[in-house]
Amino acid sequence: MTGTADETAITVTELERLKNYYRHYVDIENVNYYRKGGYHPVHIGDIIHNRYRVVNKLGYGGYSTVWLVKDLDMGRYASLKVIVADASKNASEVTLLRHLKEIQTNLPDIPGGEFVMKVFDDFIVDGPNGTHQCIVTEVLGLPLDPNPLEVKEHIYPIDMAKKMVAQIAQGVAYLHRIGIVHGDLHIKNIVLHAPEMENLSDQDVQKYFDRPWLERPECREEYSKLAISDPDHRVPQHVVYAGLSNELVALLFDTVHIKICDFGEAFLWHGVPRQIELHTPNAHAAPEILFGDPVTPAVDIWSMAVLAHLILSGVYMFEPPGGGSVEFEWVLKLGKMPDRWWPRWIERGISFDDDGVYIAGEFPMDVMERESALMTGSIGRRMREDEVIEFEQLVRRMVCYEVEDRISADGVVQSIPADWIKGGKEHWRRI
């Protein structure tokens, strides 16, 4: 053993806190989270649940890794999501997805269902880091964020954006019709899809997915002995970079078909407001979420308005300057919050008086001088003036403080212009 006893003790204490044995990789999940309660080690070629052969990697998140697999029973390709062990203890997502699968199987023709991911299977797998919930779905595509296209201002061409917004509205309306509230509608939970992906051949997989790039996890030299001896760390032999080809990007943008995915925050709706904690990002979250009030399907309506504005303009509707609170933006653009919330916003007195009037010096923006106060970013340059006004009129019915005043998802679908569903490859190359 090298070093003094004190040095060793300090090192062990730090590692117990950080467990930072392995270096970090760009576009790879945190290898240090391959430990008890964390990620399940998956390797290319593994056969999971005696049925799913791992072919490639599709992506990862803070709570899961996602893999392209071949269903050996059905002879089709699918997406396998392997959830970290600690998060697998909550079975609520599985219960909801089983409900979704039952509807998709028995009532496949409900309008809007084509814009929600299809669920195939679920099971658990035991591994060195714990017990992991696994969910099998159709092969999806690329998330809307980050934008796979290198386009001006990093936003989607307007015809494509309109089509996406119309499809998201139809997908949300479908979910609400079948009693599901998504609860976490934001741009990372919307993916591009193509009908061709539903029946991928072996040749298609070779065409649309690059060969997986493997790299052996590299342990920090000073921690190597501790990492090897630590029973809480069980890393894979190789980490895998997702292999998505340019041909897949071209296919997805020729088609322009979105899918709503990731139901980790979703809940079943039985007509009674639910007192549950949602973790929707603040910029997308309805006020009742941030103030801890009971939630209803109306949370999706608010989030959908923010998402639609983001897709059309490239910026958030409620994005406070300098990283301030989102409540500031609400009051600035929508007016004073209801009395039950107003006193609970501690920072209100810095910028507003008791009536919700801005008092912090020069007005920070000129949007309130215009009729289109909510429409920010480049939306005014990308849409006709009459379109902007009509869209804001719809949005204002979606971001009402009171949930009973918000329009329904079906109402949003009926209010979106019919020509927004058009678009596709003849449009997307135009900025």
Side-chain angles (χ1 to χ4, degrees), residues 156-160 382 425-431:
Y156 292 93
I158 190 62
D159 291 317
M160 176 185 287
R382 286 159 51 82
K425 62 183 179 182
E426 68 273 21
H427 299 284
W428 77 266
R429 297 182 186 280
R430 292 191 294 130
I431 306 299

Side-chain angles (χ1 to χ4, degrees), residues 70 77 196 199-208:
K70 181 70 173 288
Y77 285 93
E196 291 86 344
N199 296 289
L200 290 171
S201 66
D202 294 343
Q203 292 74 24
D204 290 333
V205 169
Q206 294 178 9
K207 177 180 179 181
Y208 295 130

Side-chain angles (χ1 to χ4, degrees), residues 222-387:
E222 64 269 31
Y223 300 153
S224 58
K225 292 183 179 180
L226 287 169
I228 293 173
S229 61
D230 189 342
D232 288 341
H233 268 68
R234 291 294 181 266
V235 303
Q237 296 177 11
H238 298 92
V239 290
V240 184
Y241 291 87
L244 306 178
S245 71
N246 292 331
E247 285 80 3
L248 178 61
V249 174
L251 172 67
L252 296 173
F253 279 85
D254 278 351
T255 306
V256 190
H257 185 112
I258 66 92
K259 291 273 187 172
I260 299 172
C261 63
D262 199 336
F263 289 80
E265 297 289 324
F267 60 93
L268 293 174
W269 174 246
H270 301 294
V272 179
R274 299 279 301 274
Q275 189 64 61
I276 56 178
E277 182 180 1
L278 298 178
H279 301 90
T280 316
N282 283 7
H284 290 266
E288 60 268 27
I289 294 177
L290 298 189
F291 285 107
D293 285 5
V295 293
T296 70
V299 298
D300 284 348
I301 305 303
W302 181 291
S303 297
M304 181 166 46
V306 176
L307 178 57
H309 183 275
L310 178 60
I311 292 172
L312 290 169
S313 71
V315 299
Y316 285 98
M317 186 187 306
F318 303 116
E319 187 170 24
S325 69
V326 72
E327 292 92 336
F328 172 88
E329 286 280 293
W330 294 347
V331 178
L332 194 65
K333 296 180 177 180
L334 302 178
K336 182 181 176 181
M337 289 183 282
D339 290 341
R340 66 183 182 280
W341 293 334
W342 185 248
R344 296 168 62 185
W345 179 30
I346 304 301
E347 301 170 349
R348 66 189 183 282
I350 298 175
S351 302
F352 301 94
D353 65 15
D354 290 340
D355 295 320
V357 177
Y358 183 76
I359 58 173
E362 184 178 353
F363 202 75
M365 59 202 316
D366 67 349
V367 293
M368 298 300 286
E369 305 295 329
R370 300 184 289 105
E371 183 176 358
S372 297
L374 285 175
M375 304 294 103
T376 58
S378 64
I379 196 166
R381 301 192 305 272
R382 286 159 51 82
M383 295 169 60
R384 299 189 315 270
E385 183 178 359
D386 61 314
E387 281 187 303

